[in-house]
Amino acid sequence: MLQIQQIPVLNDNYIYLLHDAESGETAVVDPALAQPVLDTLKQNDWNLTYILNTHHHADHVGGNLTLKQQTNCQIIGSENDQHRIPGIDKKANEGDTLQLGTYTIQVISCTGHTTGHIAFYIPAANALFCGDTLFAMGCGRLFEGTAEQMQQSLNKFSALPLDTKIYCAHEYTAANAKFALSVEPENKDLLATIERVKHLRANKQATVPTTLAQELATNPFLRTNNPEIQKTLAMQGASELAIFTELRERKNRF
Ligand code: ZN
Ligand code: FE
């Protein structure tokens, strides 16, 4: 079994530790900070094998060098971003794989938020670590890429099995839900989800991971073909890319 530990850090970031008990190998996804990772490793008596970076932003790579120095781990990041992933050892591209014990980790290129953004998909654990590309009821901002690139990236995720668990890098769910409701006020799945999210956040609990099925039912950025969303935008019959672009711009202003 793959053990997954979720560590909330900074305002709203999540760091994920993945541990394969059989081999003893451990990976960390997007260590914003080193110390909380070192503490968790120590508590569990785990040794760090890999750092997996989804992209170069400081709140995803901030712990890289300290962790590498203290644990001798290897750092995996996008080849496109090799000049800005601190301490990078292995340069990854779409379709590359890497082993964590018996678990195969697949690299999925997902540009949009940044030009070198990648996600890590583990089919045998039904788990996707997607950084700042897909969020619960939202998607990442377009800092370096285009709306078309982001939509193509999200389409890759939409094709994964419905029960895929989506481990996003931020707890943005409550704010995303407000925007989702503004463009699709009659969506019953969305209304039910918002109630559940309110309850979880009131108890200071994480709303992440979500699942692909859940996102397909509630995330406006995966629902550009939905008639109610198209009607809200007064864009019935427009291309999915035009609708996606408009949604992203409205979310920026929301
Ligand atoms: Zn980012
Ligand atoms: Fe981030």
Side-chain angles (χ1 to χ4, degrees):
M1 202 191 72
L2 187 73
Q3 286 173 257
I4 301 177
Q5 280 226 11
Q6 180 167 11
I7 315 175
V9 296
L10 304 175
N11 277 339
D12 49 36
N13 277 76
Y14 287 123
I15 299 175
Y16 298 103
L17 275 161
L18 322 182
H19 179 73
D20 172 44
E22 211 181 310
S23 64
E25 294 194 327
T26 306
V28 62
V29 181
D30 287 348
L33 304 170
Q35 198 54 52
V37 176
L38 292 167
D39 293 344
T40 306
L41 289 167
K42 197 170 175 191
Q43 278 160 20
N44 290 289
D45 201 16
W46 293 348
N47 294 313
L48 191 61
T49 318
Y50 298 120
I51 291 173
L52 309 176
N53 289 133
T54 62
H55 66 293
H56 70 88
H57 286 155
D59 62 321
H60 299 256
V61 303
N64 273 24
L65 294 179
T66 304
L67 286 171
K68 187 173 176 174
Q69 198 180 50
Q70 307 234 349
T71 68
N72 261 321
C73 65
Q74 280 209 309
I75 300 180
I76 290 96
S78 166
E79 174 154 36
N80 287 328
D81 272 352
Q82 55 180 294
H83 54 290
R84 47 188 188 173
I85 302 281
I88 190 169
D89 296 296
K90 284 195 184 180
K91 294 152 198 168
N93 285 299
E94 168 80 22
D96 287 354
T97 62
L98 155 113
Q99 287 300 126
L100 184 77
T102 55
Y103 289 90
T104 301
I105 303 177
Q106 299 178 359
V107 174
I108 300 176
S109 163
C110 48
T111 48
H113 180 66
T114 64
T115 50
H117 201 299
I118 54 178
F120 299 97
Y121 175 49
I122 310 178
N126 259 335
L128 176 74
F129 297 87
C130 58
D132 289 357
T133 299
L134 177 61
F135 294 120
M137 290 176 275
C139 76
R141 283 177 183 270
L142 304 175
F143 284 122
E144 299 172 7
T146 64
E148 189 169 12
Q149 287 171 332
M150 180 59 101
Q151 194 170 40
Q152 281 169 1
S153 299
L154 295 175
N155 286 343
K156 289 184 188 176
F157 298 164
S158 298
L160 296 174
L162 288 176
D163 59 350
T164 303
K165 289 187 279 290
I166 312 278
Y167 292 89
C168 327
H170 290 274
E171 178 64 58
Y172 287 161
T173 312
N176 287 343
K178 284 185 192 156
F179 175 73
L181 191 64
S182 78
V183 292
E184 203 183 358
E186 313 263 303
N187 179 338
K188 291 206 170 63
D189 290 323
L190 182 57
L191 292 163
T193 302
I194 288 170
E195 282 312 304
R196 198 160 45 78
V197 165
K198 267 188 201 156
H199 203 258
L200 285 168
R201 295 312 291 157
N203 292 300
K204 297 193 165 57
Q205 285 181 283
T207 66
V208 177
T210 175
T211 65
L212 180 60
Q214 170 69 27
E215 292 317 300
L216 289 172
T218 58
N219 190 322
F221 296 97
L222 303 183
R223 295 171 60 76
T224 47
N225 62 1
N226 175 269
E228 190 186 2
I229 292 179
Q230 296 193 358
K231 188 162 168 260
T232 306
L233 304 183
M235 289 179 78
Q236 290 103 322
S239 73
E240 295 208 20
L241 176 58
I243 290 161
F244 181 87
T245 305
E246 176 64 18
L247 283 172
R248 192 53 262 179
E249 277 166 13
R250 284 191 184 212
K251 177 66 167 64
N252 292 345
R253 298 191 300 260
F254 189 73

